[in-house]
Amino acid sequence: MSLDRQKEIEIRIDDVSMVFGRNGREVTALSQVCFEVYRSEFVSLLGPSGCGKSTLLRLMADLLEPTGGQITIGEEVPREVRLKRKFGIVFQSPTLFEWRTVQDNIELPMEVLGLKKSEYSAISNQLIDMVGLTKFKQYYPWQLSGGMQQRVAIARALSLDPPILLMDEPFSALDEFTKEKLQLDLLDIQKQTNKTIVFVTHSIPEAVFLSDRIIVMSAHPGRVHSILDIEREEGSYEQIRNSDRFHEMTARVRGCFNAYA
Amino acid sequence: MSGWLRKGSQGGVIIIWAIGVLLVWEAAAWYIADVAHVLAPASKLPYLHLVLQTMLDHWSTLVEQGSITFGNSIVGFLIGAAVGIILAIVMSLSRAVELTLSPYMIASQMVPIIGLAPILYGIIHDPSLSRVLMAGYVTFFPVAINMLRGLQSIKPEQEELMRLYAASVWTTYTKLRLKASLPGLFAGLKLSAPLAITASIIVELMGAPDGIGILMLSSLYYGSSQVYMFWSTILISVVIGLIWFLLVTIAERLITPWQPEFRPQGRSEG
Ligand SMILES: Nc1ncnc2c1ncn2[C@@H]1O[C@H](COP(=O)(O)OP(=O)(O)OP(=O)(O)O)[C@@H](O)[C@H]1O
Ligand SMILES: [Mg+2]
């Protein structure tokens, strides 16, 4: 795609290791992981459970510090980037605040930033419409299904329009129709705002459909197994999904898994 | 619209329930007095209507003494709640403080209030202050423990989210921890509301010169002629306890409307 035009490195993961625990009861979540994510690129992390995908996202967002190696974002360390609120994150679980309605949850980041309600209610309303929760604006999280809660979390992650989006299996709890809609929305958003997106998923077709590159990881310890370039095609959802190229790519990714399984 | 119906039917249930209790009471009193022919039936369970009659006759005394007791216990309850809230916040801020304070707090609850009340009154010799202190004493513990549990109930990801958005310590505390603690706080308040009233009455039973507890005691001493007075004081205590509990519940609904217990059944619109 347009990436070749300017392959500027946005996120550099340099020989990163992460060991949890101490005193002999250690778990090596990540071992000497190296890769780069280019600006405005859509990268998927694909790998078996426990290979350190969530941990990797937390390291990028400065929610954890690596026990080895370093992470650079642009020219900065993750902390500086976090303090400038340049990250949006969707955790594996929706992580809503139970005492806030859908709208208030989505507005949380803007509220924390110190913006005024009059400044951000238009933004939150637009996001609510996008994730299809217009009728549920004033609902509390316990009144929503799991998939609806996850859509709130996605809208919240977009609320500050962050240049970097970290998404941990954001669509895995959604039905096929909503999933398809949000996948297309996400690609639209990326096209319009040139976000850099790191996206964790367990679904090979989803990774192939969305990504510019797929980073396949292996577990115990978590490592990068291989990195695959995906040539994204133009066309409708159906066209792409049914094309021979698409099937070829998914088969190749699946092959990577079989190689170490 | 259906909300009105629902509230109406809830009120109906309460009324039916109350009428049921009254009927059962009267029936039981009738059984004890006129069927079983128990000796001194009124001291076992007097007719309710006679108790109510006594309440009307001695209305001014009951109000006067009652307001002393319940006024003190409510002040004590509020002070105890404030102390409990402050303790919970302090303990949530520092694990060391939590570990240091909790043994003392737990030990404090091992002292039976029946024993503590006369000691306290013997030392400070002020009935009002004793009532306030005892009410506060039984209030602070459930409030502190339940609120602390609420403060500690937040999920790691919720904290990570605040960190991601570079929220200040203050913002994280007020927008996350304090909010998460409110259901626990109200659980503690609901537990201690009736306790606070009992504690104040115990001070009176154990030595204070006035209050509803004194009416209770003296009507017990003066035998069967005062039996209706005794039951009046009991009834008043129950009603005041219920009202206070109800007020806490209403405050809870207003302040923590998100709690699933308040979910209207079969909702259709938001
Ligand atoms: N806070 C933590 N403390 C200790 N160990 C942890 C912690 N977080 C993760 N781990 C360990 O690190 C390893 C990687 O966990 P991680 O959650 O990153 O995996 P994952 O790839 O996201 O798995 P899944 O696909 O199931 O979500 C696991 O073995 C896990 O037990
Ligand atoms: Mg994970």
Side-chain angles (χ1 to χ4, degrees):
Chain A
M1 271 191 58
S2 56
L3 279 168
D4 305 303
R5 198 182 40 183
Q6 41 161 60
K7 278 203 170 186
E8 226 177 309
I9 292 173
E10 176 90 319
I11 305 173
R12 187 194 297 275
I13 311 285
D14 189 7
D15 201 26
V16 164
S17 298
M18 187 70 209
V19 181
F20 286 108
R22 54 186 96 92
N23 307 336
R25 312 192 74 241
E26 291 166 349
V27 181
T28 306
L30 294 169
S31 170
Q32 298 175 320
V33 173
C34 291
F35 65 87
E36 282 111 35
V37 179
Y38 301 109
R39 179 152 301 155
S40 305
E41 190 183 23
F42 197 123
V43 164
S44 288
L45 300 177
L46 199 61
S49 188
C51 71
K53 304 181 294 292
S54 301
T55 305
L56 203 44
L57 288 193
R58 285 196 162 81
L59 288 168
M60 292 181 199
D62 185 44
L63 299 174
L64 283 175
E65 285 199 43
T67 49
Q70 53 203 339
I71 298 176
T72 331
I73 303 202
E75 302 288 300
E76 299 170 311
V77 296
R79 168 143 318 154
E80 294 169 298
V81 182
R82 174 173 65 80
L83 293 178
K84 290 180 187 161
R85 288 144 164 138
K86 284 190 179 171
F87 292 116
I89 202 164
V90 180
F91 290 106
Q92 209 161 344
S93 63
T95 315
L96 303 181
F97 287 9
E98 305 93 83
W99 48 91
R100 284 174 170 256
T101 60
V102 166
Q103 180 143 26
D104 290 344
N105 264 293
I106 293 172
E107 289 173 354
L108 176 79
M110 303 185 276
E111 208 181 298
V112 169
L113 192 61
L115 300 179
K116 287 198 198 65
K117 181 104 186 158
S118 54
E119 297 172 296
Y120 57 62
S121 57
I123 300 175
S124 62
N125 279 321
Q126 195 189 334
L127 288 167
I128 289 168
D129 291 344
M130 188 199 93
V131 295
L133 292 175
T134 315
K135 283 194 198 137
F136 301 92
K137 249 185 231 189
Q138 299 307 327
Y139 278 47
Y140 288 107
W142 59 264
Q143 296 169 301
L144 306 175
S145 72
M148 290 157 89
Q149 293 183 21
Q150 195 64 346
R151 281 187 268 162
V152 177
I154 293 166
R156 181 181 58 195
L158 291 169
S159 68
L160 289 182
D161 196 18
I164 301 170
L165 255 187
L166 307 172
M167 309 180 90
D168 201 345
E169 300 184 39
F171 301 152
S172 57
L174 303 182
D175 63 277
E176 280 302 320
F177 297 103
T178 317
K179 190 186 291 193
E180 180 181 324
K181 177 186 180 299
L182 287 176
Q183 284 175 348
L184 294 172
D185 283 343
L186 187 62
L187 288 179
D188 262 358
I189 288 173
Q190 197 208 9
K191 219 178 246 171
Q192 283 164 23
T193 58
N194 289 321
K195 287 187 199 310
T196 307
I197 301 180
V198 182
F199 189 96
V200 173
T201 177
H202 278 138
S203 156
I204 294 174
E206 182 174 65
V208 171
F209 178 68
L210 292 172
S211 316
D212 297 310
R213 281 189 306 151
I214 298 177
I215 295 175
V216 179
M217 297 179 66
S218 57
H220 310 299
R223 288 175 189 281
V224 173
H225 176 270
S226 46
I227 300 181
L228 295 160
D229 281 310
I230 308 292
E231 283 163 56
R232 280 209 301 215
E233 306 167 73
E234 298 299 321
S236 75
Y237 186 83
E238 292 296 317
Q239 281 171 344
I240 296 175
R241 287 276 185 153
N242 290 324
S243 71
D244 290 339
R245 268 275 266 306
F246 187 80
H247 291 302
E248 203 180 292
M249 286 314 294
T250 49
R252 243 177 72 198
V253 178
R254 196 161 276 126
C256 283
F257 274 97
N258 294 338
Y260 68 71
Chain B
M1 203 182 69
S2 59
W4 285 105
L5 272 178
R6 224 165 25 234
K7 280 199 189 100
S9 77
Q10 259 176 12
V13 168
I14 291 173
I15 289 169
I16 289 172
W17 187 85
I19 291 176
V21 169
L22 301 184
L23 284 179
V24 169
W25 183 329
E26 285 292 81
W30 170 75
Y31 179 85
I32 288 171
D34 297 339
V35 180
H37 295 294
V38 176
L39 210 64
S43 62
K44 307 295 186 298
L45 185 71
Y47 278 113
L48 181 61
H49 66 269
L50 294 177
V51 174
L52 294 176
Q53 183 63 48
T54 314
M55 278 172 85
L56 284 179
D57 293 345
H58 296 89
W59 187 240
S60 61
T61 321
L62 284 169
V63 166
E64 190 188 329
Q65 298 303 310
S67 57
I68 294 175
T69 307
F70 302 125
N72 285 166
S73 66
I74 286 167
V75 171
F77 172 80
L78 293 177
I79 293 174
V83 170
I85 290 170
I86 291 167
L87 276 174
I89 290 175
V90 169
M91 293 200 296
S92 78
L93 292 178
S94 152
R95 182 98 183 114
V97 173
E98 187 195 343
L99 291 177
T100 317
L101 282 184
S102 21
Y104 291 106
M105 284 177 53
I106 291 165
S108 79
Q109 299 302 303
M110 300 296 162
V111 183
I113 49 172
I114 299 262
L116 191 65
I119 298 175
L120 190 73
Y121 183 64
I123 295 171
I124 57 180
H125 250 290
D126 180 296
S128 290
L129 188 57
S130 306
R131 275 186 290 254
V132 168
L133 284 177
M134 285 305 295
Y137 178 80
V138 296
T139 301
F140 91 93
F141 185 74
V143 170
I145 292 297
N146 283 286
M147 182 162 175
L148 180 62
R149 192 179 302 156
L151 286 168
Q152 293 170 340
S153 72
I154 57 169
K155 299 184 200 85
E157 282 95 349
Q158 293 180 321
E159 212 163 20
E160 284 182 320
L161 195 74
M162 296 305 273
R163 187 176 144 84
L164 186 85
Y165 291 116
S168 66
V169 175
W170 171 252
T171 307
T172 306
Y173 204 86
T174 51
K175 286 198 193 293
L176 178 56
R177 270 187 200 272
L178 274 185
K179 284 283 188 179
S181 77
L182 289 177
L185 169 65
F186 279 106
L189 291 176
K190 283 195 280 189
L191 268 175
S192 50
L195 284 181
I197 288 173
T198 311
S200 295
I201 293 177
I202 285 177
V203 173
E204 292 157 1
L205 300 183
M206 290 301 173
D210 53 7
I212 201 111
I214 294 304
L215 281 183
M216 231 178 247
L217 261 191
S218 58
S219 51
L220 265 185
Y221 283 143
Y222 291 116
S224 54
S225 62
Q226 290 288 320
V227 103
Y228 298 105
M229 192 63 178
F230 177 73
W231 280 89
S232 301
T233 58
I234 299 276
L235 207 59
I236 285 195
S237 305
V238 170
V239 169
I240 300 279
L242 278 179
I243 289 176
W244 196 228
F245 183 85
L246 210 69
L247 287 179
V248 175
T249 310
I250 290 170
E252 181 182 27
R253 270 182 185 247
L254 291 177
I255 297 173
T256 66
W258 65 85
Q259 290 199 82
E261 298 94 82
F262 306 143
R263 90 177 58 186
Q265 284 107 26
R267 67 173 304 139
S268 54
E269 27 70 68

